[in-house]
Amino acid sequence: MGYFEMSKLALKWALTKPPTSRYPFEPRRALAGSRGQLVFTKDSCVYCTVCAKKCPTGALLVNRAQKKWAIDRLRCISCGYCVEICPKKSLDLSTSHGSPAVTRDREFH
Amino acid sequence: MSSWIRLLIYLIAAPVVGGLLAGWDRRISARMQSRRGPPIFQPFYDVRKLWQKQSIVVRRSQNFYILFFLLLVIFTGALFFAGSDLLLVIFALTLAAIFFVLGAYKASSPYSFIGAERELILMMAYEPMILLTAIGMYMVTKSFYVHDIASHATLLVLALPGVFLGFLYTLEIKFRKSPFDLSSSHHAHQELVRGITTEFSGRALALVEIAHWYENVFLLGWVYLFFASSPLLGVAVSLLVFVLVILTDNVFARLKWQTALRSAWVVAAVLGFGNILVLSLLR
Amino acid sequence: MNPEPIELITLDTLLDKVRAKREAGCRLVQVSATRLPDQVELTYSFDLNSRLASLRLSLPGAAPRVPSISGIYGCAFLYENEIHDLFNVQVDGMAVDFKGNLYKLAVRFPFGSTQAPCAPTGAAPAATPTQ
Amino acid sequence: MPRTIIPFGPQHPVLPEPIHLDLVVEDEKVVEARPSIGFVHRGLEKLAEKKDYVEFVYVAERICGICSFIHGQTYCQAIETLMNVQVPPRALYLRTAWGELSRIHSHLLWLGLMADGMGFESLFMHSWRVREKVLNIIEATTGGRVIFGSCKIGGVRRDMNAETIRNLLQELDAIEKDMRQITRVFLDDNSVKSRLSGIGVLPKQEAHDLGCVGPMLRASGVAQDMRTLGYAAFKDIGVEPVTRAEGDCYARCAVRCEELFQSVGIIRQALEKIPDGDIAVKVTGNPAGETIARTEQPRGEVVYHLKANGTKNLQRFRVRTPTFANLPAMLKVLPGCDLADVPMIVLTIDPCISCAER
């Protein structure tokens, strides 16, 4: 039929539970492979600065002398390049996205 | 019940019922679209918020027209529920719509200007059928008074099935729902932004919302009139019609004004006029 | 699919060559420009049955002029306006001339300088943030 | 007759894209459409001077938010051509599958916007409901929802194991069923047809002469699809271009609807035939030379013109996105239509102005 093509779908969904979730009240289910926030493990890091050199957005800063590792969360695009090249596996991407960054401050570790 | 009490109930209850209907509308629409939708009372929250907003107008007089639109819509419903002359009701309804259009013209924005033009075309589309409805009711009950029509002994819809269907068609236009939301769509996602109401904000927009609540209750009251001899059936059918309007809203694309006008006139001519012709021939 | 043939042409044969492409039934795929140290290279690419063929025009100087091909390929006006806005190449006789307003840019003619686009020193790693 | 000028964009609810059109209308007939773009020129081509060729994959992926993966893929292909890199076949098959997933998600997004443009809200919501399922697959396999970030020079970053592939194919069956329901409404509903049929007709010859690409060109009856060039795994998986003869908005809609199922078929073939092996090879050195790479994006043919001189940075990085090629045709068919048809015509070229300007 040419008219009311949509009515079957509309009526069916009127009686089905919606697939959406009440987001801020129900947290989003993280998918296993999702690229979320960058996580830094201080213990194994040798401050070799490879991650800072290779970061495509320049979000990372490493000071070898003072043994400081810093990230600008607003610049980080969660691409995972640093995780791939870190020789000591001190970096990892968690599946959760964390709370959004609102300032340009660097986070020091 | 005296007509004064009915009038009073209408004035107080209509915005509440209208607002709740709007809330259900959004809820049911959302479910049909596989969403959850807002709380039932969202329309009231919206109006409260609009009322608190800063008023920004292009021309101050545009809000004056909206005030008159609201008053005339209330007046239309008041005449109707007080049991007055149906022709007078139609006249007041048209006048209200004209004030709405004038308000949009006054804002001199190209969006609301074309929205107003489209609204005039829509009025041309539904006006014949509304008049035919009144005439059909007169032919059955021999009176134009809502009071007499409501107290008629038989179900009007049995004598006027075509007119009833035609009236449902115009109802789609009056509710400004898809496929006839071309002068002002609910979601402001059209080439005219929000068409006729684009330039209204704050309290003026709140008044427009309240006017629509009154208008919708009045229109459903008219649906009830077709089933007035059996009140329960009347209320049930009115609510069913409302759900049908929501369903139609969700299963149609917006038509262009040419199609809308043509189809409305064809419906008026075939269903409305045909029904009345049959009635007069049977006599 | 590679390499694509690139035919070198000169300014005075440009319009004839393009017209010949049009008559052969080619589709204009793109017009691109490259800023080299002492010249601007224009590349006109055409497609015929999914085969790519290009014409290469070299224009010396900082602000060269070139005739528009929008009389032959109507759609070329966008490419030509772009090349004008980014490379400071004057295109004469465009079907629609935005007069340098196609792109709203902070820098006028960003590719307009005659310096080499990437000097060896300019290749410093970008990922050394300064605090 | 008095003329009104209707401003359409750069901020307009129907078209959340930064293009501005001054529509000169008589009554509701459009007599002239004056375009203006360039509000969001981001200078990405110039960025090639700052970012080296490896980092530039990330920039290429961000040229467009919707066809992001194929941008990255095209860039990698161009660099691989320049450097003579032999990409492992498994990587090519994964690229193909992801590319087609991104085509499905882009087309579903477009179908939703199209429905919204013609005031069909429920159809819009349902299109995006299905799109969400595709996005979930993409996120589970690549880690990103729209910026996949899984393509790199020399191969891909992530592999799919047998179980993932099995789940993906199962999910794909469900998605296909949902898409059938939705496309049936787009193709059969009379109110949709009344808005699309006979609107914005672009004859075959004109479409070719105006340099149209992608679904816009195919809807006018020209069977041209860059996937037939045989990049990635398309040398083993045949692609028959989907064409329609009418050249109107309905035809463009129908072409995209059909391409959804074509893509599903390609993904199935690619994942069933996928060879074992490495997913990437190590790439050393710097590119030199010049190449023009073309691939088929959801919106049409994209052209990458790369020139390198043996340094880390490219000498010239130039992208011609499909929208850029389709804009002249849009301007051609706008005059003479109704005001209500303008959103339909503008949307059927699937405009992505931000990537047109780069």
Side-chain angles (χ1 to χ4, degrees):
Chain A
M1 188 169 80
Y3 293 99
F4 295 97
E5 278 289 334
M6 189 73 193
S7 45
K8 210 178 113 196
L9 209 58
L11 287 174
K12 186 191 137 205
W13 277 95
L15 304 171
T16 324
K17 194 173 173 292
T20 53
S21 66
R22 305 176 67 238
Y23 167 61
F25 310 108
E26 291 168 22
R28 183 172 183 267
R29 181 178 56 92
L31 292 169
S34 190
R35 293 197 313 269
Q37 217 171 18
L38 187 63
V39 182
F40 173 63
T41 319
K42 204 176 167 65
D43 305 337
S44 55
C45 182
V46 293
Y47 304 95
C48 66
T49 72
V50 168
C51 56
K53 280 206 188 87
K54 293 283 183 181
C55 177
T57 61
L60 302 178
L61 188 77
V62 179
N63 191 321
R64 198 192 297 252
Q66 294 173 2
K67 293 203 182 294
K68 283 275 181 215
W69 183 92
I71 180 170
D72 181 347
R73 294 269 178 213
L74 265 183
R75 282 193 174 189
C76 177
I77 54 171
S78 291
C79 64
Y81 194 25
C82 51
V83 179
E84 211 173 290
I85 52 164
C86 180
K88 289 286 172 191
K89 303 275 166 263
S90 305
L91 293 168
D92 197 15
L93 283 179
S94 83
T95 52
S96 81
H97 291 251
S99 52
V102 286
T103 56
R104 280 228 172 267
D105 299 340
R106 277 177 204 281
E107 209 179 291
F108 283 92
H109 288 277
Chain B
M1 212 184 325
S2 98
S3 54
W4 286 109
I5 297 175
R6 272 206 309 268
L7 183 64
L8 204 66
I9 294 176
Y10 166 72
L11 288 180
I12 296 164
V16 179
V17 175
L20 282 175
L21 283 175
W24 275 320
D25 174 0
R26 292 173 67 169
R27 252 321 239 270
I28 298 171
S29 285
R31 290 301 294 271
M32 285 180 177
Q33 298 170 3
S34 72
R35 294 186 286 126
R36 275 160 209 259
I40 296 290
F41 293 105
Q42 192 62 41
F44 298 105
Y45 305 149
D46 286 353
V47 163
R48 189 180 67 192
K49 177 123 189 202
L50 285 173
W51 200 258
Q52 293 163 348
K53 289 218 170 196
Q54 186 194 0
S55 175
I56 296 172
V57 287
V58 186
R59 301 214 174 115
R60 199 159 295 154
S61 54
Q62 74 187 56
N63 288 358
F64 168 80
Y65 286 107
I66 291 304
L67 185 65
F68 267 77
F69 165 55
L70 172 65
L71 291 180
L72 277 166
V73 166
I74 296 175
F75 179 63
T76 308
L79 283 177
F80 182 84
F81 283 96
S84 179
D85 193 334
L86 208 47
L87 292 177
L88 198 60
V89 169
I90 294 173
F91 176 70
L93 181 70
T94 312
L95 198 60
I98 291 287
F99 267 96
F100 192 30
V101 168
L102 283 178
Y105 268 127
K106 199 75 192 171
S108 68
S109 132
Y111 300 126
S112 66
F113 191 85
I114 292 194
E117 280 179 349
R118 286 187 181 177
E119 181 69 23
L120 286 177
I121 289 169
L122 285 183
M123 283 169 68
M124 272 165 63
Y126 67 71
E127 212 61 24
M129 190 60 229
I130 294 223
L131 277 172
L132 284 176
T133 310
I135 293 168
M137 289 184 158
Y138 170 79
M139 289 185 73
V140 177
T141 61
K142 295 281 168 265
S143 168
F144 272 120
Y145 279 84
V146 177
H147 184 76
D148 297 338
I149 298 171
S151 50
H152 194 72
T154 61
L155 279 179
L156 289 186
V157 72
L158 295 180
L160 300 168
V163 169
F164 179 65
L165 290 178
F167 184 71
L168 288 188
Y169 201 82
T170 59
L171 216 56
E172 294 282 344
I173 307 180
K174 277 308 278 179
F175 271 109
R176 289 194 184 76
K177 292 277 194 192
S178 206
F180 301 110
D181 53 351
L182 39 100
S183 72
S184 162
S185 78
H186 281 257
H187 305 277
H189 272 210
Q190 82 186 96
E191 61 278 7
L192 299 179
V193 186
R194 206 168 190 269
I196 199 162
T197 49
T198 306
E199 299 298 327
F200 295 115
S201 61
R203 291 189 182 182
L205 199 55
L207 292 184
V208 172
E209 283 299 306
I210 295 171
H212 284 326
W213 296 348
Y214 271 109
E215 199 177 20
N216 291 355
V217 170
F218 150 68
L219 289 170
L220 290 180
W222 203 336
V223 174
Y224 170 83
L225 213 52
F226 281 94
F227 300 86
S229 64
S230 164
L232 264 181
L233 183 66
V235 173
V237 170
S238 302
L239 289 178
L240 202 69
V241 163
F242 189 66
V243 175
L244 186 73
V245 168
I246 297 173
L247 179 68
T248 321
D249 185 29
N250 277 301
V251 300
F252 272 99
R254 182 183 306 126
L255 294 178
K256 283 162 53 171
W257 67 265
Q258 294 94 328
T259 336
L261 187 63
R262 206 178 304 129
S263 69
W265 278 9
V266 166
V267 164
V270 175
L271 291 176
F273 193 71
N275 194 173
I276 285 169
L277 203 66
V278 169
L279 269 188
S280 58
L281 288 177
L282 285 180
R283 221 139 281 245
Chain C
M1 54 185 178
N2 284 307
E4 313 83 7
I6 295 182
E7 186 187 344
L8 300 177
I9 56 164
T10 54
L11 204 53
D12 43 318
T13 57
L14 169 71
L15 290 180
D16 290 335
K17 290 277 185 192
V18 173
R19 206 168 284 126
K21 289 281 183 198
R22 161 94 192 214
E23 273 152 21
C26 291
R27 175 171 65 88
L28 180 69
V29 169
Q30 65 132 10
V31 182
S32 78
T34 309
R35 170 67 68 177
L36 296 173
D38 51 352
Q39 61 182 7
V40 177
E41 263 181 14
L42 295 190
T43 312
Y44 298 81
S45 306
F46 301 89
D47 176 286
L48 186 63
N49 302 325
S50 298
R51 301 280 306 172
L52 200 68
S54 302
L55 300 177
R56 164 68 47 84
L57 185 64
S58 296
L59 304 167
R65 296 181 88 89
V66 66
S68 166
I69 62 160
S70 58
I72 306 165
Y73 281 98
C75 56
F77 75 92
L78 269 180
Y79 299 109
E80 290 173 345
N81 275 293
E82 180 185 81
I83 287 170
H84 170 259
D85 285 11
L86 300 181
F87 287 87
N88 196 11
V89 173
Q90 200 62 43
V91 188
D92 299 319
M94 284 186 281
V96 182
D97 195 345
F98 284 82
K99 300 203 170 20
N101 288 315
L102 181 69
Y103 292 144
K104 283 89 187 154
L105 301 167
V107 182
R108 213 164 145 71
F109 310 129
F111 291 93
S113 125
T114 45
Q115 276 181 357
C118 59
T121 50
T128 42
T130 45
Q131 206 172 3
Chain D
M1 193 181 282
R3 292 182 166 189
T4 321
I5 294 181
I6 308 270
F8 192 81
Q11 289 287 327
H12 196 284
V14 174
L15 184 74
E17 286 283 345
I19 183 172
H20 177 83
L21 292 171
D22 273 326
L23 300 170
V24 183
V25 293
E26 268 175 9
D27 223 357
E28 286 210 23
K29 269 268 178 283
V30 177
V31 289
E32 200 189 333
R34 304 186 200 128
S36 113
I37 63 168
F39 298 95
V40 286
H41 182 79
R42 291 167 291 169
L44 293 182
E45 293 183 350
K46 186 83 176 165
L47 211 56
E49 295 168 19
K50 288 222 179 80
K51 303 274 171 197
D52 70 39
Y53 78 98
V54 180
E55 289 171 353
F56 212 78
V57 184
Y58 298 108
V59 179
E61 281 201 321
R62 281 160 179 78
I63 288 174
C64 178
I66 303 302
C67 24
S68 130
F69 180 80
I70 304 186
H71 269 296
Q73 184 188 355
T74 317
Y75 175 79
C76 290
Q77 279 175 17
I79 292 281
E80 284 151 9
T81 314
L82 285 181
M83 301 177 73
N84 255 327
V85 177
Q86 287 303 316
V87 182
R90 189 174 176 87
L92 290 179
Y93 273 76
L94 285 172
R95 278 183 188 178
T96 307
W98 278 322
E100 294 311 304
L101 276 172
S102 92
R103 190 180 315 276
I104 295 177
H105 115 75
S106 170
H107 279 358
L108 282 172
L109 175 119
W110 177 84
L111 284 173
L113 291 179
M114 190 70 188
D116 191 42
M118 59 189 168
F120 208 145
E121 287 87 18
S122 62
L123 193 52
F124 160 55
M125 292 290 175
H126 283 284
S127 303
W128 281 36
R129 168 175 61 80
V130 181
R131 174 174 174 257
E132 203 60 32
K133 292 187 179 178
V134 182
L135 290 182
N136 277 345
I137 293 186
I138 294 171
E139 186 174 354
T141 51
T142 70
R145 271 162 59 86
V146 287
I147 306 284
F148 294 19
S150 53
C151 213
K152 70 174 179 184
I153 296 164
V156 291
R157 281 182 210 289
R158 290 201 187 193
D159 202 356
M160 293 189 205
N161 61 27
E163 199 200 334
T164 315
I165 290 177
R166 212 167 33 245
N167 291 344
L168 197 159
L169 288 173
Q170 256 172 23
E171 187 72 3
L172 211 57
D173 291 341
I175 289 170
E176 191 181 18
K177 211 184 274 169
D178 281 336
M179 291 194 308
R180 288 260 176 238
Q181 290 176 334
I182 285 165
T183 50
R184 193 177 301 135
V185 182
F186 273 103
L187 298 178
D188 294 347
D189 193 88
N190 279 352
S191 68
V192 176
K193 270 189 196 163
S194 81
R195 291 302 304 272
L196 297 180
S197 285
I199 305 296
V201 179
L202 191 66
K204 184 173 179 175
Q205 190 57 43
E206 215 164 325
H208 189 267
D209 289 349
L210 285 168
C212 292
V213 295
M216 186 89 174
L217 187 62
R218 292 196 282 277
S220 294
V222 184
Q224 187 154 339
D225 189 324
M226 287 309 124
R227 286 177 287 180
T228 53
L229 288 179
Y231 63 87
F234 290 114
K235 52 185 179 296
D236 308 328
I237 302 169
V239 181
E240 192 58 42
V242 179
T243 56
R244 298 285 285 213
E246 302 94 318
D248 56 358
C249 289
Y250 181 78
R252 284 165 225 155
C253 185
V255 163
R256 291 192 174 97
C257 285
E258 225 166 292
E259 283 186 2
L260 285 174
F261 302 107
Q262 187 190 32
S263 294
V264 170
I266 293 173
I267 297 172
R268 278 207 192 107
Q269 280 192 52
L271 292 183
E272 275 157 15
K273 282 192 206 165
I274 191 163
D276 289 327
D278 289 337
I279 55 162
V281 288
K282 203 164 162 53
V283 177
T284 46
N286 289 330
E290 184 172 6
T291 186
I292 298 177
R294 296 192 292 170
T295 54
E296 186 73 15
Q297 277 190 339
R299 297 179 163 93
E301 165 206 52
V302 66
V303 181
Y304 270 58
H305 178 196
L306 262 56
K307 202 177 166 90
N309 57 358
T311 54
K312 276 167 79 173
N313 295 54
L314 294 172
Q315 204 170 14
R316 173 70 169 137
F317 167 75
R318 189 256 196 281
V319 190
R320 200 278 277 128
T321 54
T323 305
F324 200 88
N326 281 333
L327 278 177
M330 181 192 92
L331 298 175
K332 176 83 185 172
V333 294
L334 271 179
C337 73
D338 271 342
L339 182 60
D341 298 331
V342 172
M344 301 297 102
I345 293 173
V346 173
L347 282 172
T348 45
I349 77 161
D350 199 354
C352 179
I353 304 301
S354 317
C355 66
E357 293 168 20
R358 304 158 317 272

